Structure formats: structure tokens, C-alpha cells
Amino acid sequence: MRRRSKIPEIYVTLLLILMYLPILVVVVYSFNDSWEGFTFSWYQKLLHNRNIITAFFNSLELAALSSLSASVLGTVGAVGIAGRHFRGRGALENLSLIPIMVPEIILGMAYLAFFSFLRLPFGMLTLVLAHTTFCVPYIFINVKARLAGLDPAIGEAARDLGASAPRAFFDITLPLIAPSILSGALLAFAMSMDDVVISFFATGAQTSTLPLQIYSMLKMGVTPEINALCTLMLGAVFLIVAVGRLVSARRQRRA
């Protein structure tokens, strides 16, 4: 019998080590005090660091507002384009994807010039507008792909049975595309939380996001408080994923 090669298993193992070893180091450092022993002191200092806490909640607010706004705009755009055939449709679809194809440094400079031209006060408002713009394509792509796989006869049947166009959309189409909207919104939320370049150009002196706060701390040296924050955020992500898996497993059992 021909022996199976172990190269794929070795490759996957090395890849997982390279991916998760840095994360493990961050978690270990968050509980370490110069290798003198186990400690929670960095978590205590984190809870008393107003700059980091304020920046963290600013990032949460910004990501929530921008992903919600982008979900509405991206869904409306995808539904509008999917239901019609007109000249220039392909060009319009390509234009809607420009924010994720253009380098962030170019987008950041464009937002800076545009907001300055409009004389908008730089702060949370300009951040939400900028983040909403580059988050829209993530929802647009997901919803458009889902609509392409739906049978248009379903909506037509609802119309034939007397449902109005809004009623058919909210009762039939929206529940079918809801998972794609949610996945796109989660991706947009993560991209907004992670953004540095566009936020740097679109923010004001009184408003700072978590990535910008960490970036500014690099000049003076990052303390293990950041490791503690990363560990808490990782724990929250793992908890959300675990709860989601449990909920989906229960739904499959009921089905």
C-alpha cells in the first residue's frame, strides 16, 4: 500500500503556528510583569486608562454607525441594481466597488479635501461619513451575490397573490437576504474597527479611535495594557463565535 505523504499536515501545522503564535505571545504578555510572575496589574491599569477606554468606545460607536448606514445603502443599491437591466449597469456596479479597490491613502486624502471643501467640522461626523463610504461595497457584494441566486418567481408569486411591492420585499426578499446583509455588516464592522489610514485623515483633534490611539502610543512605546486590551477583545470574539455556533447547532437539531 502506498504511504500517504505527511507534507500537507506539516504545512498546515506550520501555518497555524505562524498564525496563532503571535496571538499567544500577546495573551501571555498581558498576564506577565517583566517575567517576574503572573499578574492582573495590566488589566487594572487598562481599566483606569481613560484615553484607551474612550478611544475604544469611540471605535465601537463609529463601527456600529458606519456598518448600519452601509447596510442600508448597500442593500438598497444591490436590490435596485439586481431588479433592473439597463445600459451602463456594469459600469455602475464597478463604480460602487471603487472604495475597496483604491488605496486607503488616496481615499483618506480625498476625504480630507472633500470635507475641508464643505467646511465640515472634523470629528465623529466626518469619520462616520468616510467609514460608511468604504464599508458600502462589502454589503453590496454580499447582497448582490445572494440576490443572483434567488428565484425571481418567488417575489412574482407574492405579487400575483396581491402583495404590494414593499410588502413582497419585506415579507419575502428581505428574510432571504438577511444572512448576507448580516455577514456583510459584520465584515464592515471589523474593517471599521481596524482602520487607521482613513481615520487619520478624517478625524479631528478631539476625537480618537482605538487604532489611532495605539498608533500614537508607538512613539512613546506600547505598554502591556494594549496586550490586555487585545486579550479581552479576543475573548469577546471567541465568545461571540461560540454562542453563534451553539445557536446554529440548536437550530439544526430543531430542523
Side-chain angles (χ1 to χ4, degrees):
M1 181 180 293
R2 188 176 181 180
R3 296 182 60 184
R4 191 179 68 174
S5 175
K6 293 185 178 181
I7 294 179
E9 288 81 358
I10 296 175
Y11 173 78
V12 172
T13 302
L14 291 176
L15 184 62
L16 292 176
I17 291 174
L18 290 175
M19 289 176 59
Y20 291 103
L21 183 59
I23 298 177
L24 180 61
V25 171
V26 168
V27 174
V28 171
Y29 277 177
S30 70
F31 295 102
N32 188 277
D33 188 8
S34 300
W35 297 108
E36 295 181 359
F38 185 86
T39 179
F40 284 103
S41 61
W42 299 117
Y43 291 87
Q44 296 175 354
K45 293 180 180 180
L46 172 65
L47 296 177
H48 292 87
N49 192 323
R50 289 188 176 181
N51 292 331
I52 294 179
I53 298 301
T54 302
F56 174 71
F57 282 106
N58 285 340
S59 292
L60 283 180
E61 180 183 0
L62 172 61
L65 291 175
S66 59
S67 59
L68 180 61
S69 303
S71 297
V72 175
L73 295 176
T75 301
V76 172
V79 172
I81 290 181
R84 291 174 175 81
H85 297 278
F86 54 90
R87 180 179 300 178
R89 173 181 172 179
L92 184 60
E93 292 179 354
N94 292 331
L95 285 174
S96 64
L97 302 180
I98 285 180
I100 61 176
M101 294 188 293
V102 175
E104 287 192 348
I105 186 70
I106 304 300
L107 283 178
M109 296 175 62
Y111 292 138
L112 175 63
F114 181 70
F115 295 146
S116 299
F117 175 76
L118 295 180
R119 296 183 179 181
L120 291 177
F122 283 84
M124 184 58 69
L125 174 61
T126 53
L127 281 171
V128 171
L129 292 176
H131 281 227
T132 299
T133 303
F134 78 80
C135 285
V136 165
Y138 298 105
I139 290 89
F140 178 84
I141 293 173
N142 281 298
V143 176
K144 181 175 173 293
R146 176 58 177 160
L147 288 171
L150 291 181
D151 187 357
I154 299 177
E156 295 174 359
R159 296 295 303 276
D160 291 339
L161 293 173
S164 60
R167 181 69 180 274
F169 173 77
F170 285 105
D171 289 353
I172 305 298
T173 306
L174 185 60
L176 293 175
I177 64 175
S180 60
I181 297 175
L182 179 60
S183 62
L186 291 176
L187 180 59
F189 186 92
M191 296 300 295
S192 178
M193 284 286 295
D194 185 61
D195 182 76
V196 176
V197 178
I198 293 178
S199 299
F200 180 80
F201 285 96
T203 191
Q206 303 299 324
T207 306
S208 178
T209 62
L210 183 60
L212 291 178
Q213 181 66 29
I214 297 175
Y215 177 75
S216 64
M217 292 175 64
L218 290 175
K219 300 176 182 179
M220 303 299 295
V222 177
T223 65
E225 295 173 64
I226 301 301
N227 297 332
L229 178 62
C230 293
T231 303
L232 292 176
M233 295 178 67
L234 284 172
V237 170
F238 289 150
L239 180 61
I240 293 173
V241 172
V243 171
R245 294 297 297 270
L246 289 175
V247 172
S248 62
R250 289 184 178 180
R251 289 182 177 178
Q252 291 178 359
R253 292 176 183 176
R254 292 178 181 177

